[in-house]
Amino acid sequence: MAERKVLTKYIPPDFDPKKLDRHRWPKNRQIKVRTMLPMSIRCNTCGNYISKGTKFNSRKEEVVGETYLGIKIFRFYLKCTNCSAELAIKTDPQNSDYVVESGATRNFEPWRQQDEVVDNAKRRRAAEEMGDAVKSLENKTLDSKKDIDILAALDEMKSMKARHATVSLDSMLEALQSTYATKDRGF
Ligand SMILES: [Zn+2]
């Protein structure tokens, strides 16, 4: 059998690998990838709702000249399932999320707004405390005061529950029924 695998290759003595051109893809090269929509959106052109998890044959490219702490950001081009208008979304590493860039609007998500409020409060506090030891101490004191208040409220609720523990559901229903019965007789 002839040799099937080439184990040795002739390399001419004047071969210089440095003279070879390194193949480089252009920076904004687009590749086709099959993606799932990471959030529910609404097409701006036709008003069609596209739900999270819809699969697309999308084109993916690197967003040139934009990074987050050295992390690359990618853009995906999709087509509306109804009108085929082009939509663009890109990754958002800062919030470990995606943002709609054009062609559509993201549907309102209450949990996201809640997260945003918490994040904003944290960010504001961090900015306040930056290099301000007094402010940080103040905030810490407020925190511990809040904790104590919560514990006190919890204790109060516990004692209230203990006081009412003797009233069972059955006895409560019985009492209600008897009051209704007396009311009925009265009319
Ligand atoms: Zn559309």
Side-chain angles (χ1 to χ4, degrees):
M1 206 154 73
E3 195 178 18
R4 290 175 301 140
K5 246 182 194 176
V6 180
L7 299 174
T8 53
K9 270 185 183 156
Y10 174 70
I11 296 168
D14 61 343
F15 174 74
D16 184 6
K18 279 183 193 134
K19 281 181 184 163
L20 288 174
D21 266 349
R22 212 189 118 193
H23 179 75
R24 281 176 201 273
W25 292 108
K27 260 279 188 195
N28 56 355
R29 182 173 76 115
Q30 294 188 337
I31 51 169
K32 279 182 193 163
V33 281
R34 192 154 169 87
T35 41
M36 249 192 202
L37 200 62
M39 69 277 206
S40 296
I41 57 172
R42 189 180 186 206
C43 173
N44 284 348
T45 314
C46 68
N48 178 39
Y49 285 101
I50 311 170
S51 58
K52 181 177 177 177
T54 311
K55 286 175 184 170
F56 288 96
N57 292 318
S58 65
R59 282 176 294 123
K60 175 187 141 191
E61 69 173 18
E62 193 186 320
V63 181
V64 180
E66 195 185 340
T67 55
Y68 171 68
L69 306 177
I71 302 168
K72 283 179 188 171
I73 293 173
F74 293 100
R75 184 182 289 125
F76 298 85
Y77 294 103
L78 319 162
K79 283 214 168 110
C80 171
T81 48
N82 188 38
C83 69
S84 299
E86 192 164 70
L87 323 169
I89 59 170
K90 63 178 185 179
T91 54
D92 180 12
Q94 186 175 3
N95 304 310
S96 39
D97 202 1
Y98 295 83
V99 281
V100 180
E101 221 179 4
S102 67
T105 39
R106 190 172 188 164
N107 293 354
F108 177 69
E109 292 153 343
W111 58 89
R112 224 158 57 86
Q113 198 195 28
Q114 218 168 3
D115 286 353
E116 218 167 79
V117 169
V118 174
D119 279 358
N120 281 348
K122 262 188 203 165
R123 219 169 289 158
R124 208 179 311 127
R125 185 171 163 165
E128 265 180 12
E129 289 175 3
M130 187 73 95
D132 191 347
V134 180
K135 192 80 202 169
S136 125
L137 196 68
E138 261 176 31
N139 280 344
K140 265 180 205 155
T141 321
L142 273 177
D143 276 354
S144 57
K145 192 181 168 293
K146 222 183 270 171
D147 282 349
I148 290 166
D149 284 352
I150 288 168
L151 279 178
L154 203 65
D155 270 349
E156 200 179 328
M157 274 161 89
K158 266 186 192 162
S159 65
M160 262 168 72
K161 208 176 170 194
R163 236 179 290 151
H164 292 302
T166 47
V167 183
S168 73
L169 189 67
D170 286 332
S171 62
M172 203 156 67
L173 281 173
E174 230 165 70
L176 272 174
Q177 269 165 357
S178 67
T179 51
Y180 280 132
T182 48
K183 258 186 197 168
D184 283 347
R185 242 175 282 146
F187 283 111

